[in-house]
Amino acid sequence: MSEDRLFLFRLARELGKTIAQLDLELSPEEFTEWRAYYELEPWGTLVEDHRWQTSYELVWLNKGSGFMGDPPKLLDRDPEETERLMAEAAAAITLEDKLEAFFGPRAIEVVGEPPIA
């Protein structure tokens, strides 16, 4: 399904019309204007889900739940992509990053030869 056709379905749902009705009533110019408007101010389930998730995260953090870790992802529409991105992020963490995270300010840099005891 092309992106234009998918957008036509979104528009039909938003306007409460059928695709056949839009085919009769909607000029190509008006379709282009609706498409441009959608790019500026999207609507629909994905956008609403994202807004809801953001609100949920704000409440989670505001209620002092931060000590429990990050808020759960309730609306993951593409878990395979999320898993791939998380694996990439984990692979990007170097050994130095892990040592710094573990030792923190206790890590010291040895310069030159250590003294002979």
Side-chain angles (χ1 to χ4, degrees):
M1 181 178 295
S2 73
E3 286 188 29
D4 283 344
R5 187 78 176 156
L6 182 61
F7 178 75
L8 190 61
F9 276 93
R10 284 189 185 120
L11 184 59
R13 184 186 63 221
E14 190 68 21
L15 297 176
K17 297 187 177 250
T18 67
I19 299 296
Q21 288 173 316
L22 287 182
D23 282 340
L24 292 174
E25 300 171 8
L26 194 64
S27 70
E29 293 80 20
E30 187 178 0
F31 177 81
T32 302
E33 289 177 337
W34 273 109
R35 185 81 191 240
Y37 174 69
Y38 179 80
E39 293 299 320
L40 291 173
E41 193 174 309
W43 69 82
T45 14
L46 290 175
V47 175
E48 293 305 317
D49 288 352
H50 177 70
R51 288 181 184 145
W52 188 90
Q53 179 73 31
T54 302
S55 300
Y56 173 76
E57 289 171 359
L58 287 172
V59 170
W60 176 276
L61 295 172
N62 188 38
K63 291 291 186 185
S65 302
F67 68 90
M68 294 170 35
D70 293 333
K73 276 289 195 197
L74 302 177
L75 303 169
D76 192 358
R77 292 187 174 274
D78 192 355
E80 291 85 14
E81 177 68 7
T82 301
E83 187 174 325
R84 186 188 69 76
L85 292 173
M86 289 176 64
E88 281 181 9
I93 298 174
T94 64
L95 177 59
E96 289 79 16
D97 293 334
K98 292 177 182 178
L99 290 171
E100 176 65 29
F102 181 78
F103 290 107
R106 296 178 290 175
I108 58 171
E109 184 176 332
V110 177
V111 178
E113 295 289 323
I116 300 175

